[in-house]
Amino acid sequence: MYQRNCICKVNKRIFLIMALLVCAFKMNAQMMVIKSDLLRDVATMPNVHIDFVVGEKHSLGVGGGYCYKMWGKDIQIASFSPNFRYWFNGRPFTRQYVGVKAQISQYDITWRNSVYDGASLAVGMIFGHVFNLGKRLNLELEGGLDALGYTQKEYYKSDIYDDYGDMNNSRGVMMCPHLSFSISYILK
């Protein structure tokens, strides 16, 4: 029960940070886009991202997602992801871009007899292309490579891990691919 309460607290913090970041930007930006990653939606992890134009060829975005009981399994994940993009076309949200992103996640996963409770930070390069479907509707394909660092408690369901304190018994860094297939709507 303690693990679930921690994730709920982190989830509230993530959305508070997102709201503060959104309010920190000038709301008279030339263009603002709201989007959702369809691949995460299929994985039953609802998400939303908001991107702002911050220059002639630059945009800045923030987003996050949360899931509880992914695919009916005992999987709980909360994530927050800022990004910065450079658009080659000369105007944001049209054609190709390159950028950098980060993703902070906290998770509590029970898979078969094992429990994984931890946090991760991924930083990476992204490349993408936006297909304009209409005046305000876009389809975005994005890929990239992330360096992911994580720390987690890993134990069996039958263990009473709280007796051992806040010790994390598994840490690591790995490279992993990033893939996103999003639908976006230009708000203004």
Side-chain angles (χ1 to χ4, degrees):
M1 188 64 160
Y2 172 75
Q3 297 162 349
R4 295 189 199 299
N5 290 337
C6 287
I7 288 185
C8 289
K9 288 178 186 176
V10 168
N11 187 34
K12 290 176 186 175
R13 289 179 190 157
I14 287 172
F15 287 112
L16 178 63
I17 290 169
M18 280 182 14
L20 290 174
L21 284 173
V22 167
C23 292
F25 298 112
K26 292 182 182 178
M27 292 313 288
N28 62 358
Q30 293 175 348
M31 198 178 298
M32 188 167 64
V33 171
I34 187 166
K35 65 182 177 178
S36 181
D37 184 355
L38 299 175
L39 295 177
R40 286 188 182 196
D41 290 337
V42 167
T44 65
M45 183 176 184
N47 65 91
V48 66
H49 296 267
I50 299 174
D51 289 338
F52 301 93
V53 173
V54 292
E56 218 171 278
K57 294 185 176 188
H58 304 93
S59 68
L60 188 63
V62 294
Y66 176 76
C67 75
Y68 178 73
K69 296 287 188 188
M70 182 184 277
W71 302 309
K73 305 288 184 191
D74 195 9
I75 298 174
Q76 192 171 3
I77 302 171
S79 69
F80 171 73
S81 180
N83 65 55
F84 178 79
R85 298 178 183 173
Y86 173 82
W87 298 84
F88 294 112
N89 187 39
R91 100 175 194 219
F93 311 118
T94 303
R95 298 194 187 154
Q96 298 87 12
Y97 63 87
V98 63
V100 293
K101 75 166 197 83
Q103 181 170 327
I104 302 163
S105 300
Q106 183 152 0
Y107 54 89
D108 180 11
I109 300 169
T110 303
W111 194 262
R112 296 190 180 129
N113 288 327
S114 297
V115 177
Y116 308 94
D117 180 16
S120 67
L121 171 65
V123 178
M125 292 289 296
I126 52 175
F127 308 93
H129 187 88
V130 173
F131 299 94
N132 299 97
L133 301 177
K135 187 174 181 180
R136 295 187 175 266
L137 194 63
N138 295 331
L139 183 66
E140 182 179 313
L141 300 174
E142 179 178 285
L145 190 61
D146 296 341
L148 179 114
Y150 67 92
T151 179
Q152 68 184 11
K153 296 176 187 176
E154 186 176 332
Y155 55 96
Y156 293 107
K157 278 198 312 190
S158 58
D159 290 347
I160 302 173
Y161 199 80
D162 292 334
D163 292 343
Y164 299 107
D166 266 349
M167 181 178 68
N168 291 325
N169 62 356
S170 180
R171 292 183 175 93
V173 175
M174 64 177 143
M175 297 301 287
C176 59
H178 164 77
L179 185 62
S180 174
F181 182 71
S182 302
I183 190 90
S184 63
Y185 184 77
I186 299 171
L187 295 174
K188 78 176 205 179

